[in-house]
């Protein structure tokens, strides 16, 4: 009962933290999709220097911890007076962009080559063929892993606490330090993360089913 009372009493503050967590994740993934799509096209461009640039980006991002990347944006770009929100969003966006690039690359390359040839035979240029034929099919195939990536980013956003952002995890640790009852508030924040993950799992599954490729 005491646990439930603390859950109810802290609800307004945790709700604000949950909304900030969602905002961080949504903006970062939105930007990350464009970053990922850009580097996916570099990877499949058949131009060696562009492939190397994409490979280097993916290697650097995958090879370094996300917390280091967030710190680089926040503390390493002090001359730009970058805000906490912007630092976390950029860190999450560039981090997830590397994984999204591989998702899009795999999805695009999974489309039968005959689709491209069909588009070109109809008089479409390369750009138009990608926009009207290749990308819509690739997006359908990428929806499941993109949904998983969104959930990963949602949980990774907890690292924003390390630069002082008052998102879900920071709310929990602040309440825990004030009450000397870390375990209760860590369990409470786990519930909030589970709620968010459950909501977005259902939403992702719904979108995936709506866009499913018919056999």
């Amino acid at each position: 009962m005491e646990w439930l009372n603390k859950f109810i009493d802290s609800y307004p503050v945790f709700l604000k933290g949950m909304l900030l967590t969602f905002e961080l994740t949504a903006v970062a993934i939105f930007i990350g999709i464009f970053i990922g799509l850009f580097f996916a096209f570099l990877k499949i461009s058949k131009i060696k220097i562009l492939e190397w640039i994409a490979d280097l980006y993916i290697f650097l991002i995958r090879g370094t911890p996300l917390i280091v990347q967030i710190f680089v944006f926040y503390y390493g770009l002090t001359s730009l007076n970058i805000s906490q929100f912007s630092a976390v969003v950029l860190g999450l966006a560039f981090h997830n962009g590397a994984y999204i690039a591989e998702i899009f690359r795999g999805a695009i390359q999974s489309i039968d080559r005959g689709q491209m040839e069909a588009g070109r035979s109809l008089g479409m240029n390369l750009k138009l063929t990608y926009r009207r034929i290749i990308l819509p099919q690739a997006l359908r195939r990428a929806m499941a892993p993109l949904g998983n990536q969104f959930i990963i980013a949602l949980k990774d956003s907890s690292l924003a606490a390390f630069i002082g952002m008052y998102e879900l995890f920071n709310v929990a640790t602040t309440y825990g330090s004030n009450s000397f009852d870390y375990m209760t508030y860590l369990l409470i924040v786990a519930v909030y993360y589970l709620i968010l993950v459950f909501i977005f799992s259902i939403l992702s599954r719904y979108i995936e089913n709506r866009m499913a490729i018919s056999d």
Side-chain angles (χ1 to χ4, degrees):
M1 185 61 69
E2 183 182 354
W3 183 91
L4 182 59
N5 288 334
K6 289 182 178 181
F7 185 93
I8 295 171
D9 292 341
S10 62
Y11 170 76
V13 182
F14 271 101
L15 180 60
K16 290 181 181 179
M18 185 168 67
L19 292 175
L20 179 56
T21 293
F22 169 74
E23 186 179 1
L24 285 169
T25 307
V27 175
I29 287 294
F30 180 78
I31 297 172
I33 286 173
F34 288 99
I35 293 173
L37 193 58
F38 174 75
F39 281 100
F41 277 120
L42 294 190
K43 285 273 289 183
I44 63 175
S45 65
K46 305 302 181 183
I47 301 174
K48 286 298 181 183
I49 185 64
L50 298 183
E51 290 183 47
W52 291 340
I53 291 172
D55 286 338
L56 178 62
Y57 161 71
I58 293 170
F59 173 76
L60 289 175
I61 294 298
R62 287 183 164 185
T64 55
L66 174 56
I67 187 63
V68 172
Q69 296 160 21
I70 292 174
F71 273 40
V72 166
F73 279 109
Y74 188 59
Y75 295 109
L77 302 178
T78 52
S79 60
L80 300 179
N81 294 319
I82 193 168
S83 67
Q84 292 175 325
F85 185 89
S86 298
V88 176
V89 164
L90 289 174
L92 284 171
F94 276 92
H95 183 82
N96 286 279
Y99 295 91
I100 292 172
E102 288 295 282
I103 291 171
F104 277 131
R105 179 194 60 78
I108 291 171
Q109 291 183 333
S110 72
I111 305 300
D112 191 274
R113 293 179 62 88
Q115 300 284 326
M116 174 65 74
E117 295 170 1
R120 301 306 295 272
S121 68
L122 292 173
M124 298 182 186
N125 58 29
L126 184 63
K127 180 179 178 181
L128 192 60
T129 303
Y130 266 108
R131 183 162 62 88
R132 290 189 175 179
I133 298 177
I134 305 300
L135 287 181
Q137 296 181 72
L139 182 60
R140 292 187 183 97
R141 298 186 180 188
M143 274 308 303
L146 283 177
N148 291 335
Q149 197 63 41
F150 186 95
I151 291 171
I152 291 170
L154 178 69
K155 293 183 288 185
D156 284 346
S157 68
S158 60
L159 295 175
F162 290 92
I163 61 171
M165 289 202 74
Y166 208 52
E167 45 66 66
L168 270 178
F169 183 70
N170 201 352
V171 172
T173 54
T174 300
Y175 268 99
S177 63
N178 290 339
S179 64
F180 300 102
D181 187 8
Y182 279 101
M183 181 57 70
T184 296
Y185 288 103
L186 288 175
L187 290 174
I188 289 173
V189 78
V191 171
Y192 281 98
Y193 278 115
L194 286 170
I195 290 170
L196 282 173
V197 169
F198 176 75
I199 291 171
F200 290 113
S201 295
I202 295 298
L203 182 60
S204 174
R205 183 69 59 85
Y206 172 77
I207 295 173
E208 183 183 346
N209 289 338
R210 293 283 294 181
M211 299 179 67
I213 300 174
S214 173
D215 289 336

